[in-house]
């Protein structure tokens, strides 16, 4: 299966498509790397669909985020002004359920506060950012 082709070929991208691609990508770190590359692309439709698949793949196999570069890419996406709301929502969903490494926490906190304060952000996105802030506060206080 070619991940890029599978994402692009569907005229209407359905949940079944996303789940199939996520399962395939969760099968190996190399496939997940390709899916992450799609999520970080400049093509809006590819990026949005890949973000959905990434969030599903991480639910299937949470250890896929064990590489710091993936977590760092997700945190950096939060601060990107041109990112689509669907991509930001998927990214926040992944980070909400993950343990953000200490070196990235300051940056994640900064971006989450920016999102929460931005009245133009959809409520679901601001809510997810608040939940991440709460999760990090709990983990920091228990250390």
């Amino acid at each position: 299966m070619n991940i890029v082709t599978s994402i692009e070929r569907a005229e209407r991208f359905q949940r079944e498509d996303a789940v199939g691609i996520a399962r395939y990508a969760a099968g190996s770190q190399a496939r997940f790397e390709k899916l992450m590359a799609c999520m970080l692309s400049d093509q809006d439709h590819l990026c949005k669909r890949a973000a959905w698949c990434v969030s599903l793949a991480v639910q299937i196999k949470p250890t896929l985020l064990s590489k710091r570069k993936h977590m760092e890419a997700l945190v950096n996406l939060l601060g990107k002004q041109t990112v689509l709301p669907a991509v930001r929502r998927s990214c926040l969903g992944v980070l909400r359920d993950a343990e953000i490494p200490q070196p990235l926490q300051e940056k994640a906190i900064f971006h989450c506060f920016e999102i929460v304060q931005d009245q133009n952000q959809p409520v679901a996105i601001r809510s997810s950012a608040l939940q991440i802030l709460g999760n990090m506060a709990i983990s920091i206080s228990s250390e």
Side-chain angles (χ1 to χ4, degrees):
M1 172 190 283
N2 183 318
I3 290 177
V4 176
T5 305
S6 298
I7 291 173
E8 289 180 330
R9 76 171 154 76
E11 190 172 308
R12 295 188 67 213
F13 200 64
Q14 305 283 329
R15 180 164 179 79
E16 300 83 42
D17 300 319
V19 169
I21 292 168
R23 283 189 181 137
Y24 177 75
S28 80
Q29 191 69 39
R31 291 183 211 150
F32 185 71
E33 303 261 347
K34 289 178 185 172
L35 185 57
M36 283 293 295
C38 291
M39 181 177 165
L40 299 172
S41 95
D42 292 333
Q43 298 175 27
D44 286 350
H45 73 285
L46 180 64
C47 182
K48 182 169 49 173
R49 291 174 174 186
W52 187 14
C53 296
V54 164
S55 68
L56 294 171
V58 170
Q59 287 175 10
I60 293 168
K61 190 174 179 184
T63 58
L64 290 169
L65 283 180
S66 61
K67 288 195 174 182
R68 179 179 166 166
K69 70 178 182 176
H70 298 317
M71 190 69 74
E72 191 167 7
L74 293 172
V75 170
N76 288 337
L77 269 178
L78 293 180
K80 189 175 174 186
Q81 296 300 318
T82 58
V83 72
L84 297 169
V87 174
R88 183 170 278 137
R89 187 172 45 251
S90 293
C91 181
L92 286 165
V94 170
L95 291 172
R96 183 184 59 227
D97 298 331
E99 187 174 325
I100 299 172
Q102 198 281 327
L104 296 175
Q105 285 182 358
E106 184 177 336
K107 192 178 223 179
I109 289 169
F110 177 79
H111 291 317
C112 285
F113 271 120
E114 280 188 326
I115 291 167
V116 169
Q117 292 175 339
D118 184 354
Q119 298 294 315
N120 294 321
Q121 291 294 331
V123 172
I125 289 176
R126 291 171 41 209
S127 173
S128 292
L130 274 173
Q131 191 169 4
I132 291 169
L133 289 169
N135 291 347
M136 283 195 288
I138 290 169
S139 84
I140 290 170
S141 68
S142 65
E143 290 178 359

